[in-house]
Amino acid sequence: MNLSVELSMYPLQDGYKPKIKDFLEMLNSRADEVEIRTSNMSTRIFGHFDTVNALLNDCMKESMQRYGKIVFVCKYLQGDARELSGYE
């Protein structure tokens, strides 16, 4: 089953931009079988359900261990949102 996730990250510390950049670099460097699209407000991840969730779990856990308290806001949609018109 395919999955689309829209994700926003909010580190609860000063100097949040490098933490977000680090998370995005980590996510992109491990994204072998998923597509990642990043905009100013969020990142969208598309791929197989298990692959997307494993990637997010690993990267979110590592970011929390590295930087402490972080809020991740995720919206999950079953299917491939790239096929929806007006989603961009």
Side-chain angles (χ1 to χ4, degrees):
M1 169 172 51
N2 284 327
L3 182 67
S4 300
V5 177
E6 185 174 40
L7 169 77
S8 297
M9 176 185 177
Y10 303 97
L12 298 178
Q13 310 92 14
D14 292 334
Y16 60 89
K17 287 183 182 181
K19 295 171 176 98
I20 294 170
K21 183 178 179 185
D22 182 54
F23 175 77
L24 292 174
E25 288 173 359
M26 183 186 335
L27 198 64
N28 281 294
S29 71
R30 300 177 187 181
D32 295 328
E33 300 174 26
V34 301
E35 181 180 342
I36 298 175
R37 297 180 184 177
T38 299
S39 67
N40 291 341
M41 296 297 294
S42 65
T43 296
R44 292 172 294 152
I45 304 143
F46 308 95
H48 186 270
F49 185 93
D50 294 329
T51 306
V52 169
N53 276 307
L55 175 65
L56 287 174
N57 284 339
D58 290 346
C59 292
M60 287 190 296
K61 180 179 180 180
E62 190 169 326
S63 287
M64 289 177 181
Q65 289 173 332
R66 194 178 291 175
Y67 298 117
K69 295 195 183 318
I70 298 172
V71 175
F72 287 97
V73 177
C74 305
K75 294 184 270 183
Y76 288 77
L77 173 66
Q78 186 274 328
D80 192 340
R82 293 173 292 187
E83 299 171 358
L84 300 174
S85 63
Y87 185 68
E88 296 292 325

